[in-house]
């Protein structure tokens, strides 16, 4: 039973570029959340997708956008990258109803130079 | 807004001994979950233990147990018989369940636990 998988593992981008991160949820899960974890900090909630719609959003600018596909996989897109976007991006999946445990992937380490 | 505070950036413990990690939180809600997650160098967040706010009994998972003080808004993690594999960053997290759709996790800043052989 595959857990949450994220790709790529690492990537390096230049300021101003755009990036797409991908996440496949744990088998049977239908809800995907994205978190940003800066170095030495706890993860910060970006947004959550359920039934292909953004259900909840954290305090992140519109440069951060996402998508959920019919197979429940998800993408996180970040436009006009800033140095401050350098972080570990974690994807977590869960199964409705609410309150079910989140399962996290190993994350994508994004470095913006 | 809910906040989670972990006041111990680093802790260390001798192998086989017991250690307690502290966490406090602030919320005006009554329906929520509290969690402890472990993040080893592999970077994956691993759920250690979960506590439902409506339950008075403290959660226990093998060597891991919590001391949940709802009135004091305190949620500490006790690790008994510490093992080398317990070395990791530990994050306390809060999840509000009062409103459908508002289910994000709010994390503390973490405590780095070192196990001394």
């Amino acid at each position: 039973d595959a857990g949450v998988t994220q790709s790529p593992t690492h990537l390096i981008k230049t300021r101003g570029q755009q990036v797409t991160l991908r996440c496949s949820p744990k088998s049977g899960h239908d809800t995907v959340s994205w978190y940003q974890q800066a170095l030495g900090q706890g993860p910060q909630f970006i947004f959550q997708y359920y039934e292909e719609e953004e259900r909840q959003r954290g305090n992140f600018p519109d440069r951060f956008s996402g998508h959920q596909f019919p197979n429940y996989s998800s993408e996180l897109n970040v436009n006009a990258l800033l140095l401050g976007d350098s972080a570990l991006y974690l994807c977590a999946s869960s199964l409705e109803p609410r309150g079910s445990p989140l399962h996290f992937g190993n994350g994508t380490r994004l470095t913006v130079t | 807004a809910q906040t989670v505070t972990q006041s111990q950036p680093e802790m260390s413990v001798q192998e086989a001994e017991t250690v307690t990690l502290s966490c406090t939180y602030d919320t005006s809600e009554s329906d929520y979950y509290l969690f402890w997650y472990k993040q080893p160098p592999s970077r994956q967040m691993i759920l250690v233990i979960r506590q439902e706010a409506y339950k008075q009994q403290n959660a226990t998972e093998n060597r891991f147990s919590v001391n949940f003080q709802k009135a004091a808004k305190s949620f500490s993690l006790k690790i008994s018989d510490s093992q080398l594999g317990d070395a990791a960053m530990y994050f306390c997290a809060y999840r509000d369940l009062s409103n459908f759709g508002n289910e994000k996790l709010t994390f503390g800043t973490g405590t780095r636990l070192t196990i001394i052989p």
Side-chain angles (χ1 to χ4, degrees):
Chain A
D1 181 20
V4 179
T5 58
Q6 293 187 242
S7 62
T9 304
H10 300 85
L11 75 166
I12 300 173
K13 290 287 188 178
T14 304
R15 273 182 302 176
Q17 287 187 319
Q18 179 266 342
V19 68
T20 298
L21 311 181
R22 295 177 175 81
C23 171
S24 293
K26 179 179 171 62
S27 178
H29 285 185
D30 59 5
T31 303
V32 173
S33 301
W34 286 92
Y35 289 81
Q36 180 196 64
Q37 186 178 15
L39 194 62
Q41 300 296 317
Q44 298 288 319
F45 176 76
I46 303 174
F47 42 53
Q48 182 184 72
Y49 277 84
Y50 173 66
E51 292 187 339
E52 302 180 50
E53 291 189 358
E54 183 181 292
R55 182 162 70 176
Q56 188 183 5
R57 188 179 183 92
N59 188 25
F60 279 79
D62 292 343
R63 298 186 298 108
F64 289 77
S65 63
H67 188 76
Q68 186 178 34
F69 299 93
N71 66 353
Y72 307 120
S73 66
S74 177
E75 289 182 349
L76 165 64
N77 300 291
V78 186
N79 295 321
L81 284 167
L82 304 174
L83 294 179
D85 295 332
S86 295
L88 178 67
Y89 289 84
L90 294 167
C91 172
S93 71
S94 60
L95 176 65
E96 289 293 311
R98 65 194 182 108
S100 59
L102 295 184
H103 293 252
F104 284 84
N106 287 352
T108 294
R109 172 74 66 189
L110 171 65
T111 301
V112 182
T113 62
Chain B
Q2 295 86 9
T3 59
V4 177
T5 301
Q6 293 179 250
S7 59
Q8 306 156 315
E10 297 183 357
M11 291 283 285
S12 60
V13 63
Q14 290 283 145
E15 192 176 2
E17 296 296 310
T18 296
V19 63
T20 299
L21 308 184
S22 300
C23 173
T24 59
Y25 61 96
D26 188 24
T27 183
S28 58
E29 305 295 342
S30 59
D31 188 12
Y32 54 88
Y33 284 175
L34 294 166
F35 304 86
W36 279 99
Y37 279 89
K38 167 185 176 181
Q39 188 178 40
S42 67
R43 310 182 317 196
Q44 184 183 23
M45 284 284 187
I46 301 168
L47 178 63
V48 174
I49 200 165
R50 178 174 79 170
Q51 175 77 45
E52 292 88 341
Y54 66 85
K55 289 186 178 179
Q56 292 187 337
Q57 185 174 7
N58 290 324
T60 299
E61 288 288 343
N62 301 316
R63 298 182 295 107
F64 299 87
S65 62
V66 299
N67 183 3
F68 174 47
Q69 302 290 328
K70 190 172 184 180
K73 296 179 182 175
S74 171
F75 183 60
S76 61
L77 174 69
K78 185 171 80 172
I79 306 174
S80 303
D81 185 25
S82 297
Q83 301 175 1
L84 294 178
D86 295 333
M89 283 291 291
Y90 284 81
F91 290 95
C92 178
Y94 166 98
R95 186 175 183 183
D96 177 17
L97 295 176
S98 299
N99 301 307
F100 179 79
N102 182 23
E103 298 175 18
K104 71 176 184 179
L105 283 175
T106 301
F107 286 87
T109 52
T111 297
R112 181 173 301 282
L113 178 63
T114 300
I115 310 298
I116 303 168

